[in-house]
Amino acid sequence: MLRRSFTYQLASIAEDAVGPAARLFESRFGLDVHELRVLRLVGDQPGVTFTTLSRQTKFERSATSRILSSLIKGGLVRREIDENDARHFRLYVTADGQALRERADPLSLELETLILSVLSLTEQAEFRRILDKLSGWLDREFMTELQARYPEMAGPAKKARS
Amino acid sequence: MLRRSFTYQLASIAEDAVGPAARLFESRFGLDVHELRVLRLVGDQPGVTFTTLSRQTKFERSATSRILSSLIKGGLVRREIDENDARHFRLYVTADGQALRERADPLSLELETLILSVLSLTEQAEFRRILDKLSGWLDREFMTELQARYPEMAGPAKKARS
DNA sequence: CTTATATAGTTTCAAAATGCAACTATCTTA
DNA sequence: TAAGATAGTTGCATTTTGAAACTATATAAG
């Protein structure tokens, strides 16, 4: 078999993994995976600020803002004006949001376990370790490195569309 | 640091990897990454049929059809009616398509090397091996397994949108 | 032979997502 | 008190989406 491009393979795995999950979360909790992603990021970083968050979501700022609005409207997230700088909002998950996460997380875990079940435990650990290493690099030095090597591509991340 | 959901991590890595690549291919070759994906899949499987292809692309059939049309219009792919069954088209990359691939592939390889450069050679090999194992499983048994466990979600893969 | 059904692939179209740019509001500096 | 800078939101034109309808060929049944 021909060796497929690594990026294609990654994107393809991500789609196979996220796609079914998306449908399940939608049908069980009426929750869009994008919303879930934001809910989790906020939950894991109480008091996180919008700009930080939107860098992590990998969505556009405007998209993140809209998702956030919908979470707030749904009572899953609340925001507080920063007392030192009223331009900032500090974001927190509400009790309802927390409750929802607590229902959603086991399903995530279940799916994750199923996906990884084809790997031995050693492989799973190794895979995780490698993914962590990769994410760290991609989040930090990689982007700088890219800009340096390919100055032709400025501007922020464009839709990858897998 | 909190352990992030594996699917989020994967999607996030894929986006970081594919996003920049998308912009580069666009600016250097005027080629959309989706088109490139299809071009490669056809190139690697001369005579492949539309339905097979669209399963591999992970796009909707209609999207695949549109991308294919654009490749054909651009003279990068050609199609022939199957002599045994006129409902099928057999797809082939043209000389122009091949030439384009030959210009694009080195860039892909370069990017891929850069992305993986944070890993040791052993890790790279291990990572690849694990990815292969995962893709195989996800393409085959996994989907069946999912349907069995979660009958509530029928229908074909929905946009994962990461 | 004629009708029914299945399969391959394309096209249409309304709804949703995208992303730039303009906008509001606050803060900082001078 | 005016001029930027920063945080976040919203408007809106464009693009993307995906389900459904459609065309065309093949196969099966009566």
Side-chain angles (χ1 to χ4, degrees):
Chain A
M1 173 162 130
L2 282 159
R3 193 158 95 25
R4 293 261 148 92
S5 120
F6 154 75
T7 45
Y8 166 65
Q9 198 173 24
L10 258 188
S12 175
I13 292 176
E15 275 161 43
D16 285 346
V18 174
R23 268 167 291 140
L24 265 174
F25 284 110
E26 191 71 55
S27 83
R28 291 214 184 161
F29 311 114
L31 191 66
D32 180 84
V33 272
H34 293 158
E35 295 183 336
L36 186 58
R37 187 190 284 191
V38 172
L39 184 63
R40 285 189 167 135
L41 286 168
V42 173
D44 291 347
Q45 310 168 93
V48 70
T49 202
F50 173 81
T51 299
T52 305
L53 185 68
S54 79
R55 258 196 300 275
Q56 297 171 340
T57 57
K58 303 278 157 75
F59 317 139
E60 262 279 304
R61 287 165 70 78
S62 54
T64 306
S65 176
R66 281 186 272 255
I67 291 166
L68 208 43
S69 298
S70 122
L71 287 172
I72 291 167
K73 192 152 21 158
L76 303 175
V77 166
R78 101 190 119 78
R79 69 182 148 198
E80 254 171 38
I81 292 173
D82 186 302
E83 52 181 12
N84 299 315
D85 186 339
R87 288 171 305 180
H88 294 272
F89 289 126
R90 299 265 160 205
L91 301 164
Y92 303 90
V93 166
T94 63
D96 279 3
Q98 186 54 34
L100 181 55
R101 262 200 80 170
E102 273 157 24
R103 289 199 302 139
D105 285 354
L107 179 56
S108 289
L109 196 60
E110 207 177 296
L111 280 171
E112 197 166 300
T113 306
L114 178 58
I115 290 168
L116 293 176
S117 68
V118 71
L119 304 177
S120 75
L121 288 182
T122 318
E123 284 170 334
Q124 293 187 21
E126 183 65 1
F127 189 44
R128 290 229 169 256
R129 203 183 54 74
I130 291 177
L131 287 181
D132 286 343
K133 203 163 168 183
L134 260 184
S135 325
W137 149 250
L138 288 174
D139 275 355
R140 295 188 247 306
E141 303 86 341
F142 174 66
M143 293 302 174
T144 325
E145 193 66 27
L146 258 185
Q147 302 279 338
R149 287 186 200 220
Y150 307 98
E152 52 197 291
M153 49 161 240
K158 189 186 137 197
K159 230 255 142 205
R161 301 260 84 267
S162 47
Chain B
M1 173 163 130
L2 283 158
R3 195 159 93 25
R4 293 261 148 90
S5 118
F6 155 74
T7 45
Y8 166 66
Q9 198 174 26
L10 257 188
S12 173
I13 292 176
E15 273 160 45
D16 285 345
V18 174
R23 268 168 291 139
L24 265 174
F25 283 110
E26 191 72 53
S27 83
R28 291 214 183 161
F29 310 115
L31 191 66
D32 180 86
V33 273
H34 293 158
E35 296 183 337
L36 186 59
R37 189 193 281 191
V38 172
L39 184 64
R40 285 189 167 133
L41 286 168
V42 172
D44 291 346
Q45 311 168 92
V48 70
T49 202
F50 173 81
T51 300
T52 305
L53 186 68
S54 78
R55 258 196 301 274
Q56 297 171 341
T57 58
K58 304 277 157 75
F59 316 140
E60 263 280 305
R61 302 178 104 250
S62 55
T64 307
S65 176
R66 281 185 280 255
I67 291 166
L68 207 44
S69 298
S70 120
L71 287 172
I72 290 167
K73 193 153 21 157
L76 302 175
V77 166
R78 101 191 119 79
R79 71 181 146 199
E80 256 171 38
I81 293 173
D82 186 302
E83 52 181 11
N84 299 316
D85 186 338
R87 287 172 305 182
H88 294 273
F89 290 125
R90 299 266 160 201
L91 300 165
Y92 302 91
V93 165
T94 63
D96 278 4
Q98 186 55 33
L100 181 56
R101 262 200 81 168
E102 275 157 22
R103 290 199 302 140
D105 284 354
L107 179 57
S108 289
L109 196 60
E110 208 175 297
L111 281 170
E112 196 166 301
T113 306
L114 178 58
I115 290 167
L116 294 176
S117 68
V118 71
L119 304 176
S120 74
L121 289 182
T122 318
E123 285 171 334
Q124 293 188 20
E126 184 65 0
F127 189 43
R128 289 231 169 257
R129 202 182 56 73
I130 292 176
L131 287 181
D132 286 343
K133 203 164 169 182
L134 260 183
S135 325
W137 149 251
L138 289 175
D139 276 355
R140 295 187 248 304
E141 303 86 341
F142 174 65
M143 292 302 173
T144 325
E145 193 65 25
L146 259 186
Q147 301 281 338
R149 288 185 198 219
Y150 308 98
E152 52 196 290
M153 50 160 239
K158 188 186 139 198
K159 229 274 166 171
R161 304 255 94 269
S162 42

